[in-house]
Amino acid sequence: FFKELEEGPCKFIKGTVRGGTRILYEGNVVVLGDVNPGSEIVASGNVVIMGTIRGMVHAGADGNRNAIVAALRLHPTQLRIADLIARCPETNEDAAIVPEIASVKDDIIYVEPLGK
């Protein structure tokens, strides 16, 4: 699942990332909460959100296309991995929580249920 994943520096953020907040980190970022609209997370490594993403998330900001974005709910305003950009489709936020992971395959960002 995470082949050739190298552990590196990791920043843990406890709580919700509020709108207007920008987090920049050279490494992996783990948020123990939600990422609200108007907020940004930019990491050179992976981004893992133990909540809902509603803001902008950029994993692999240094060009690492092997980076991933994982969350309990993926509803970002914009999702970036390396130099690729995607917007998630409009969905019903009242639907069941299904953890998802975004990764790059064939130069396209794919979002699929975690563990599939």
Side-chain angles (χ1 to χ4, degrees):
F1 190 78
F2 293 112
K3 357 177 210 183
E4 301 174 21
L5 180 70
E6 291 185 29
E7 292 181 25
C10 188
K11 179 177 188 99
F12 282 88
I13 299 161
K14 183 179 175 188
T16 297
V17 178
R18 304 274 177 215
T21 303
R22 187 170 195 211
I23 296 168
L24 301 168
Y25 191 68
E26 290 288 326
N28 304 303
V29 174
V30 176
V31 177
L32 304 175
D34 294 335
V35 176
N36 283 345
S39 62
E40 294 182 18
I41 296 179
V42 179
S44 63
N46 304 307
V47 177
V48 177
I49 311 297
M50 301 300 291
T52 301
I53 299 175
R54 293 185 198 91
M56 193 282 289
V57 177
H58 188 177
D62 62 353
N64 178 7
R65 285 191 171 193
N66 293 319
I68 57 101
V69 175
L72 291 180
R73 279 195 173 158
L74 269 172
H75 297 287
T77 54
Q78 189 178 85
L79 177 69
R80 299 180 186 183
I81 298 177
D83 58 330
L84 303 172
I85 301 172
R87 285 185 52 95
C88 288
E90 297 295 323
T91 58
N92 181 4
E93 283 206 37
D94 294 333
I97 295 176
V98 178
E100 294 177 304
I101 186 166
S103 60
V104 175
K105 294 176 190 163
D106 301 323
D107 297 332
I108 297 173
I109 296 176
Y110 284 93
V111 176
E112 54 194 13
L114 187 63
K116 182 176 179 184

